[in-house]
């Protein structure tokens, strides 16, 4: 039951051969069985999930509801959930019960999708391995020695291990796509502005974007449709022409121009990953896509630009965690300064502190022009690269990450090597484009993702290519032996 | 020795009159229970996002046009980062690099008969902080976030003022302007209009001295006193070989002195950067045109019109334009009566006196312009005398109804019957033969005496003009 597509689950729920309570209980049972070790969840909400499942069943009994009604979902712990702990992976928010629901949570609740719980993540979404969580690391279901990727590692692991049929994630520099690749699932980061950021705890506001993490492109399309749309509470939210992301799934990709950036297959990319990605590109060609060589010359500037801009925004976004109104407060502060200093020193982990310090530095008087302003210019160059590239092709494909999932602890002492794990995903966030990772095979027994990048608001085209690929491949059906 | 020249620039925070905050839907009302007007955004909850209250845009444009400034066609909100308990997000959203009102603006002030033009550097939109309450809880500080997020227009002047008098004249003029533009209620006690003064001294021809900032002074009188004190303080320091340091100082009206605030301001680096949660504010020419068309007549123009069209004195014109409500009241009264001078006398006389006594502003006057026009009409048509009108006005003020009702109820109708007046005149003249003789011997000022006696006899109800005329006629005959 835990390996079925949303479409099949939906059909069985609608026909009432399956109840939402039974389905939800099934996933709760699997969480109980596996999550002690896997640690994909920070919080599990069985009572709430079953209550919502009952409500879903009542609706389905009356022949009401949406096609997602009754299908359980897990939320990344970055989304605020009413009266449920919302930690963002941090000690800082260990005691934080959100007084409201994020827009995404609200939307899925309104469709009666039972919430299984909140998934683990790098602290404040800062990381690529889910190792910086205050709540312990999450294991990769394919290999317990490996990280699941990050920052949405909990959601990726939960879906890959069959602990949730589908989950939400967020992607600031690759946080949906890289863990999707590492765990062998399908995850899409929508165009910036497509999914409301209201209630999604901000890391770097001009990059952050919520999106679905699923077992297939089709499942991702279904969930994205439920997540996307204009929200007046988010000024950067966009009125979309259509949220019917499934509309082109079954259309052939015959004649579609698929760009392959030469720069993405240069040094730094592991040979077996490159080979797997090339094979996937070969499949696309067999499907009738026309492969065109393109160039993204400013790719190498992206990581530097991102690691100035994102920390700059983060340093400001995280100022509100000051121990005054909510969150961690130190014991017996002797004055205001002590309250701030100790609350924040105790509440934040190392990576968060590192980025706050970097961000504070690059915005400081005398350094702003050299860092922040220059990084903004680079950001424009990177975006312009994509705009030019899309004059020659419909979509761009390449690797998601330079390697398969690395070992736990492998990069924790070397932040820069961790940052470089996002070298293919970050440019997309700088440009605000939609992009997806789908499973494309294995290298050394660990999953490899195929990266598909599209023009603004052309998620449907990305999903079309992904779905067509998944019609002729089985990688997305693969499940790690222990979790079958 | 050459004299010191004083250099003053003002930063004025005008709270914009909106129903809700600048980035949240919380209401704005002064004096509410602490934190009762703070929603999740105002509390700085995680995941909360600001949405610009568009009502502030036309107000800022109107201000910019009124002072002749360039309007920023694409203004950008920045974050000003610093930690303070009454700043829930850890940053204040403001406009730093691209303000909505750019350069080019100015305001003319008049001091000692001299007109001076004070440049306006810029004006930008920003959110107010909350309030820290230090005296309510022993050993603790309370935070009230009702004010957090209140929309402000910060108006920055050039350092063009050369005396405390000029600074106050500028502040007053600005205070008047923002109220006329209907963008700020001007209430200084409630903090709707706050003036920070940057004061320095130097010798003419040399670079400006180091300035001190005098913050949050809530009356014009205190602004003047604070600046005067600060000038003396700086001169004393420099003349005794010391150096003025750049700092924020608070004025203590009880001791009439300025005191240094904690030095936290000094090394602050606010790390301004564009707020990624808000889009730039794009203003089209049509938006500007619309505000230009809706621009109310400004006080300077009104004063000229009152003098040129209605023959009022400069002082009267000044008084009648003290507030937009006052000018509106006065203009309505003139429209209804066609009598500018008489209307002016009423507004500046009995009405102002009554308002002062009851501590009311003119827009709360129990006697509306229409009611006062009704009273003036009864004086004009001779139904009552000017003196009786004062009595009627007092009754109207006390809520006894319209002029006609009061006149009726009190039996105050003027005696205009020629025969009745003639009888009274004859009686008075008969009772005072000596005075009649004196008058006839050339003491014409005795006429006033007779008028008084007749009015007294009529219990004030005789028409004085008629009394006058009859008296003159009879005395000439006698």
């Amino acid at each position: 039951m835990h390996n079925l597509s949303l479409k099949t689950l939906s059909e069985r729920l609608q026909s009432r051969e399956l109840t939402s309570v039974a389905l939800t209980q099934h996933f709760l049972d699997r969480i109980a069985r596996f999550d002690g070790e896997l640690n994909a969840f920070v919080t599990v909400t069985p009572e709430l999930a079953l209550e919502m499942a009952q409500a879903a069943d009542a609706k389905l009994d009356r022949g009401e509801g949406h096609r997602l009604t009754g299908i359980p979902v897990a939320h990344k712990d970055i989304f605020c959930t009413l009266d449920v702990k919302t930690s963002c992976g941090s000690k800082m928010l260990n005691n934080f019960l959100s007084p409201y629901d994020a827009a995404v949570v609200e939307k899925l609740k309104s469709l009666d999708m039972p919430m299984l719980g909140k998934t683990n993540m790098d602290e404040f979404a800062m990381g690529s391995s889910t190792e910086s969580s205050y709540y312990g690391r999450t294991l990769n279901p394919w290999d317990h020695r490996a990280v699941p990727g990050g920052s949405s590692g909990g959601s990726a692991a939960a879906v890959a291990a069959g602990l949730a049929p589908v989950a939400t994630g967020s992607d600031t520099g690759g946080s949906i796509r890289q863990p999707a690749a590492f765990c062998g699932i399908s995850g899409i980061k929508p165009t910036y502005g497509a999914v409301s950021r209201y209630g999604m705890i901000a890391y770097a506001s001009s990059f952050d974007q919520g999106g679905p993490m699923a077992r297939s492109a089709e499942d991702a399309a279904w969930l994205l449709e439920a997540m996307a749309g204009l929200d007046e509470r988010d000024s950067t939210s966009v009125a979309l022409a259509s949220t019917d992301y499934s509309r082109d799934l079954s259309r052939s990709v015959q004649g579609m121009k698929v760009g392959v950036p030469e720069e993405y297959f240069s040094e730094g990319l592991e040979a077996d990953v490159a080979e797997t990605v090339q094979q996937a590109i070969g499949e696309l060609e067999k499907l009738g896509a026309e492969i065109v060589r393109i160039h993204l010359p400013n790719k190498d500037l992206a990581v530097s630009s991102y690691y100035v801009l994102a920390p700059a925004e983060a340093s400001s976004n995280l100022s509100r965690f000051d121990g005054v109104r909510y969150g961690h407060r130190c014991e017996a502060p002797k004055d205001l300064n002590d309250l701030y200093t100790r609350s924040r020193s105790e509440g934040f982990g190392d990576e968060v502190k590192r980025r706050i310090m970097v961000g504070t530095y690059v915005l400081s008087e005398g350094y702003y022009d050299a860092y922040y302003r220059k990084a903004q210019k680079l950001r424009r160059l990177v975006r312009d690269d994509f705009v030019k590239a899309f004059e020659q092709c419909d979509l761009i494909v390449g690797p998601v990450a330079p390697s398969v999932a690395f070992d736990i602890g492998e990069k924790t002492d070397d932040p820069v090597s961790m940052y470089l794990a996002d070298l293919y995903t970050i440019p997309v966030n700088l440009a605000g484009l939609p992009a997806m990772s789908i499973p494309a095979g294995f290298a050394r027994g660990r999953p490899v993702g195929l990266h598909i990048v599209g023009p603004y608001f052309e998620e449907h085209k990305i999903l079309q290519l992904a779905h067509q690929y998944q019609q002729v491949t089985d990688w997305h059906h693969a499940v790690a032996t222990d979790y079958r | 020795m050459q004299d010191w020249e004083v250099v003053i620039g003002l930063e004025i925070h005008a709270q914009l009159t909106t129903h809700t905050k600048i980035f949240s839907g919380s209401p704005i009302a002064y004096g509410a229970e602490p934190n009762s007007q703070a929603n999740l955004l105002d509390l700085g909850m995680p995941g909360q996002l600001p949405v610009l209250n568009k009502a502030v845009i036309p107000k800022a444009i109107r201000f910019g046009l009124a002072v002749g400034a360039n309007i920023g066609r694409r203004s950008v909100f920045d974050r000003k980062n610093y930690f303070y308990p009454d700043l829930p997000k850890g940053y204040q959203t403001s406009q730093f690099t691209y303000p909505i009102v750019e350069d080019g603006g100015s305001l003319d002030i008049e001091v000692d008969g001299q007109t001076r033009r004070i440049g306006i550097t810029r004006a930008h939109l920003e959110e107010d902080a909350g309030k820290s309450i230090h005296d309510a809880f022993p050993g603790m500080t309370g935070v009230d976030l009702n004010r957090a997020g209140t929309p402000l227009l910060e108006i920055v002047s050039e350092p063009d003022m050369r005396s405390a008098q000029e600074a106050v004249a500028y502040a007053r003029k600005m205070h008047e302007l923002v109220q006329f533009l209907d963008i700020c209620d001007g209430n200084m006690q409630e903090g709707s209009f706050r003036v920070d003064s940057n004061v320095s001294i130097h010798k003419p021809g040399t670079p400006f001295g180091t300035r001190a900032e005098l913050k949050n002074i809530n009356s014009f009188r205190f602004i003047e006193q604070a600046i005067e004190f600060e000038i003396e303080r700086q001169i004393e320091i420099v003349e005794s070989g010391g150096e003025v340091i750049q700092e924020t100082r608070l004025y203590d009206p009880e001791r009439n002195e300025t005191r240094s605030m904690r030095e936290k301001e000094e090394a602050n680096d606010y790390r301004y950067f564009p707020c990624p949660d808000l889009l730039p504010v794009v203003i089209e020419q049509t938006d500007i045109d619309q505000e230009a068309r809706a621009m109310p007549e400004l006080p300077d123009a009104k004063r000229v019109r009152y003098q040129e069209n209605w023959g009022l004195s400069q002082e009267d014109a000044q008084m009648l334009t003290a507030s937009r409500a006052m000018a509106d009241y006065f203009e309505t009264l003139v429209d209804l009566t066609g009598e500018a001078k008489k209307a002016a006398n009423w507004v500046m006389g009995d009405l102002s006196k009554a308002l002062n006594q009851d501590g009311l502003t003119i827009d709360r006057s129990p006697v509306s312009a229409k009611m006062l026009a009704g009273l003036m009409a009864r004086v004009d048509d001779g139904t009552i005398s000017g003196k009786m009108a004062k009595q009627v006005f007092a009754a109207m003020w006390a809520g006894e109804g319209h002029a006609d009702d009061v006149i009726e109820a009190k039996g105050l109708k003027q005696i205009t019957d020629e025969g009745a007046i003639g009888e009274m005149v004859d009686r008075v003249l008969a009772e005072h033969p000596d005075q009649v003789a004196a008058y006839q011997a050339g003491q014409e000022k005795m006429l006033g005496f007779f008028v008084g006696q007749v009015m007294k006899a009529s219990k004030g109800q005789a028409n004085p003009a008629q009394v006058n005329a009859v008296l003159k006629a009879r005395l000439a005959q006698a």
Side-chain angles (χ1 to χ4, degrees):
Chain A
M1 194 146 59
H2 47 275
N3 292 329
L4 297 175
S5 70
L6 295 190
K7 193 176 191 175
T8 306
L9 290 175
S10 178
E11 280 163 7
R12 293 188 187 175
L13 285 165
Q14 305 281 334
S15 71
R16 305 313 287 133
E17 76 190 81
L18 176 65
T19 65
S20 178
V21 168
L23 182 65
T24 303
Q25 189 61 58
H26 176 75
F27 283 105
L28 290 171
D29 289 347
R30 284 184 65 82
I31 292 169
R33 182 172 151 208
F34 292 109
D35 203 52
E37 190 182 10
L38 198 62
N39 198 32
F41 285 83
V42 173
T43 305
V44 185
T45 52
E47 293 87 2
L48 179 63
L50 291 169
E51 200 179 292
M52 291 172 78
Q54 280 169 0
D57 280 331
K59 271 199 185 161
L60 290 164
D61 284 344
R62 294 195 300 268
E64 293 165 10
H66 178 269
R67 62 182 182 177
L68 288 170
T69 298
I71 296 174
V73 62
H75 287 297
K76 184 177 182 179
D77 210 17
I78 199 168
F79 292 99
C80 285
T81 43
L82 175 67
D83 295 338
V84 172
K85 177 163 124 177
T86 300
S87 76
C88 223
S90 182
K91 179 184 178 185
M92 181 58 88
L93 291 178
N94 191 32
N95 61 2
F96 182 66
L97 293 184
S98 172
Y100 75 110
D101 276 328
V104 162
V105 173
E106 203 174 52
K107 282 190 152 205
L108 302 190
K109 260 189 189 176
S110 76
L111 301 179
D112 297 282
M113 295 183 75
M115 180 176 98
L116 295 168
K118 307 292 292 292
T119 62
N120 201 10
M121 55 184 285
D122 280 298
E123 186 180 5
F124 285 104
M126 297 177 189
S128 310
S129 66
T130 314
E131 290 170 292
S132 71
S133 169
Y134 175 67
Y135 303 92
R137 61 188 177 228
T138 296
L139 306 183
N140 188 321
W142 288 95
D143 185 340
H144 285 184
R145 291 165 304 177
V147 300
S151 64
S152 312
S155 285
V159 171
L163 308 191
V166 76
T168 56
S170 72
D171 191 318
T172 303
S175 285
I176 287 177
R177 292 160 290 156
Q178 185 252 24
F182 281 14
C183 291
I185 64 162
S186 302
I188 182 164
K189 179 202 95 74
T191 307
Y192 184 79
V195 172
S196 170
R197 293 185 298 114
Y198 178 80
M200 191 173 87
I201 298 177
Y203 155 28
S205 315
S206 73
F207 302 88
D208 296 343
Q209 186 62 201
M213 304 186 75
R215 304 183 53 76
S216 68
E218 183 184 57
D219 286 4
W222 277 37
L223 190 64
L224 178 56
E225 177 181 321
M227 294 170 75
L230 178 68
D231 181 1
E232 306 284 355
R233 297 167 298 184
D234 173 1
S235 306
T236 61
S237 167
V238 174
L240 302 166
S242 167
T243 54
D244 181 2
Y245 293 108
S246 310
R247 62 187 188 270
D248 288 336
L249 288 185
S250 48
R251 271 183 58 192
S252 158
V253 296
Q254 184 75 42
M256 187 185 269
K257 284 190 181 164
V258 173
V260 177
E262 212 150 84
E263 294 81 1
Y264 279 23
F265 289 88
S266 55
E267 57 167 324
L269 178 63
E270 281 180 11
D272 44 4
V273 172
E275 199 180 308
T276 309
V277 171
Q278 290 293 5
Q279 275 168 17
I281 293 170
E283 287 295 334
L284 299 178
E285 210 168 359
K286 278 190 230 159
L287 283 166
E290 185 190 326
I291 306 301
V292 282
R293 285 171 162 251
I294 57 153
H295 291 280
L296 296 169
N298 294 302
K299 174 205 84 169
D300 290 337
L301 303 175
V303 174
S304 322
S305 169
Y306 176 84
Y307 278 102
V308 169
L309 299 177
E313 293 183 21
S315 70
S316 174
N317 282 335
L318 271 61
S319 294
R320 66 186 59 198
F321 304 110
D322 57 4
V324 173
R325 297 166 313 288
Y326 54 79
H328 178 74
R329 180 189 286 202
C330 66
E331 290 285 332
K334 62 176 196 292
D335 58 24
L336 182 60
N337 228 358
D338 187 43
L339 168 72
Y340 285 150
T341 310
R342 278 202 289 133
S343 298
R344 288 169 65 82
S345 298
E346 294 164 8
F348 290 140
D350 287 348
E351 184 58 29
V352 172
K353 286 178 195 162
R354 185 176 295 124
R355 294 196 198 187
I356 289 174
M357 285 190 283
V358 168
T360 302
Y361 179 80
V362 299
L363 289 174
S364 301
E365 218 176 311
Y367 296 97
Y368 183 90
D369 287 339
Y371 293 101
Y372 186 84
R373 198 183 298 280
K374 192 172 273 178
Q376 286 286 26
K377 284 183 185 156
L378 299 186
R379 184 176 191 172
R380 276 191 289 277
L381 291 178
V382 171
R383 186 194 57 199
D384 292 348
D385 272 4
F386 280 109
V387 171
K388 252 180 247 158
F390 283 121
E391 289 168 2
Q392 299 163 49
C393 60
D394 299 305
L395 296 171
I396 294 169
V397 300
V400 176
S403 72
V404 291
F406 43 86
D407 285 346
I408 289 167
E410 188 182 326
K411 294 183 196 273
T412 39
D413 295 330
D414 184 359
V416 174
S417 80
M418 186 80 90
Y419 297 169
L420 287 170
D422 293 331
L423 117 123
Y424 301 116
T425 48
I426 280 173
V428 171
N429 298 83
L430 290 176
L433 293 166
M436 185 166 197
S437 173
I438 55 169
F442 291 85
R444 288 178 287 132
R446 294 177 184 179
V448 173
L450 175 70
H451 201 193
I452 311 174
V453 185
Y456 295 108
F457 303 108
E458 297 202 10
E459 286 84 353
H460 59 284
K461 205 179 276 178
I462 295 173
L463 290 159
Q464 178 193 354
L465 184 68
H467 182 72
Q468 288 300 311
Y469 175 81
Q470 291 180 343
Q471 297 311 292
V472 296
T473 57
D474 271 331
W475 304 118
H476 62 294
H477 289 315
V479 178
T481 322
D482 297 346
Y483 298 95
R484 278 178 190 150
Chain B
M1 195 170 83
Q2 203 181 11
D3 274 345
W4 292 103
E5 182 176 64
V6 176
V7 176
I8 303 167
L10 299 188
E11 288 168 19
I12 293 175
H13 290 87
Q15 179 183 325
L16 297 175
T17 46
T18 53
H19 298 296
T20 55
K21 293 183 178 180
I22 185 166
F23 300 120
S24 90
S26 296
I28 297 169
Y30 183 78
E33 273 291 296
N35 297 309
S36 64
Q37 301 192 352
N39 66 13
L40 297 175
L41 180 102
D42 306 321
L43 293 168
M45 281 289 164
Q48 284 289 313
L49 296 171
V51 177
L52 178 64
N53 178 352
K54 295 204 169 64
V56 301
I57 305 295
K59 292 179 196 290
I61 296 174
R62 207 178 307 160
F63 173 80
L65 293 176
V67 297
N70 297 310
I71 305 298
R73 299 296 286 272
R74 189 176 177 280
S75 62
V76 175
F77 285 104
D78 295 290
R79 291 185 185 175
K80 177 182 181 178
N81 296 284
Y82 66 95
F83 285 97
Y84 208 65
D86 60 23
L87 190 72
K89 300 186 299 296
Y91 56 82
Q92 179 193 27
T93 310
S94 182
Q95 296 185 315
F96 184 61
T97 312
Y98 302 102
I100 190 160
V101 176
E102 297 175 343
D103 57 356
S106 65
L107 205 60
D108 289 344
I109 59 167
E110 204 170 289
V111 173
D112 297 334
Q114 299 272 342
T115 300
R116 291 211 54 218
R117 176 155 294 188
I118 308 300
I120 292 168
T121 315
R122 56 182 275 157
H124 60 261
L125 292 166
E126 64 181 27
E127 59 180 341
D128 208 344
K131 272 183 194 157
S132 293
I133 300 159
H134 297 290
D135 51 4
F137 311 96
M140 288 189 282
T141 295
V143 176
D144 179 4
L145 296 175
N146 282 353
R147 205 182 63 183
T150 299
L152 302 176
L153 186 68
E154 180 174 341
I155 304 159
V156 183
S157 85
E158 291 290 304
D160 283 352
M161 287 151 277
R162 295 291 171 266
S163 68
Q165 292 71 36
E166 287 187 3
V168 169
Y170 169 85
R172 280 187 188 279
K173 192 86 182 267
M174 193 60 82
H175 186 242
E176 173 188 86
L177 178 66
V178 295
Q179 291 178 80
F180 265 82
L181 293 172
D182 204 17
I183 63 174
C184 171
D185 70 17
N187 191 323
M188 295 179 81
Q189 290 309 311
E190 292 178 3
S192 306
F193 187 88
R194 307 198 288 266
V195 180
D196 300 341
S197 316
N198 288 300
V199 181
S200 66
I201 54 162
H202 75 141
K203 299 278 182 178
T206 66
F208 286 169
T210 305
R211 63 195 156 89
E213 187 176 11
L214 311 178
K215 255 187 149 58
N216 289 347
I217 308 172
N218 66 0
S219 84
F220 294 117
R221 190 162 60 91
F222 291 157
I223 291 167
E224 186 161 348
Q225 289 173 5
I227 294 174
E228 295 284 14
F229 175 87
E230 184 58 24
I231 293 168
E232 288 309 313
R233 189 186 72 90
Q234 293 188 10
I235 291 175
E236 229 166 83
I237 289 174
V238 177
E239 290 191 343
S240 58
E243 234 173 83
V244 175
I245 53 167
Q246 185 168 340
E247 61 180 349
T248 299
R249 298 181 69 84
L250 289 181
Y251 178 68
D252 179 348
E254 278 172 29
R255 298 185 183 180
N256 186 27
E257 63 177 29
T258 64
R259 269 202 307 273
S260 182
M261 256 173 95
R262 281 174 302 127
E263 290 174 16
K264 68 161 185 134
E265 295 278 319
E266 274 186 51
N268 248 352
D269 176 354
Y270 292 119
R271 293 171 284 124
Y272 284 99
F273 77 106
C275 178
D277 288 328
L278 290 161
L279 305 177
V281 178
V282 176
I283 293 171
E284 305 293 347
Q285 186 59 45
T286 51
D287 302 324
I288 297 174
D289 293 345
Q290 192 178 331
E291 283 313 309
R293 278 195 300 275
M295 181 68 67
E297 187 184 25
L298 298 181
D300 281 348
K302 279 190 191 296
R303 288 191 272 270
V304 168
R305 184 162 61 88
Y306 290 2
Q307 291 173 61
E308 289 184 354
N309 295 9
W310 293 340
L312 299 186
S313 70
Q314 196 193 337
E315 291 71 32
D316 289 357
Q318 185 71 41
M319 275 188 72
L320 290 165
T321 52
S323 74
R324 182 160 171 187
M326 171 88 88
D328 285 348
Y329 189 105
F330 170 65
E331 288 179 24
T332 307
L333 195 56
V334 176
D335 281 349
L336 292 169
T337 62
E339 298 270 10
K341 279 194 177 164
K342 287 181 186 165
N345 288 340
W346 271 109
V347 172
M348 292 185 300
D350 292 65
L351 179 66
S352 291
K353 207 187 296 167
L355 288 169
N356 280 343
Q357 261 165 18
D358 288 6
L360 293 174
T361 50
I362 197 161
D363 48 333
R364 301 261 166 82
S365 169
V367 176
S368 67
K370 202 175 163 194
M371 287 166 75
L372 186 50
L375 173 59
M376 285 171 66
R378 290 297 153 268
V379 179
D380 202 47
D381 67 13
T383 308
I384 55 171
S385 66
K387 201 169 172 190
M388 288 155 99
K390 286 177 181 293
Q391 214 181 322
V392 176
F393 178 83
M396 289 166 73
W397 188 266
E400 291 175 29
H402 287 270
D404 288 340
D405 305 334
V406 174
I407 292 165
E408 181 74 36
K410 293 198 186 280
L412 284 175
K413 281 223 163 106
Q414 201 164 225
I415 299 166
T416 50
D417 179 72
E418 287 278 348
I421 291 173
E423 276 174 32
M424 285 188 277
V425 167
D426 290 342
R427 204 178 312 129
V428 166
L429 293 181
E431 283 167 10
H432 300 92
D434 297 349
Q435 285 82 353
V436 173
Y439 178 87
Q440 284 166 340
Q443 288 191 43
E444 293 197 356
K445 63 181 181 198
M446 290 306 293
L447 185 66
F449 168 78
F450 296 122
V451 172
Q453 291 300 314
V454 175
M455 291 307 290
K456 199 170 154 192
S458 76
K459 298 197 178 81
Q461 283 175 275
N463 180 318
Q466 279 177 294
V467 171
N468 236 326
V470 173
L471 265 171
K472 276 189 183 162
R474 298 284 161 95
L475 285 165
Q477 284 168 15

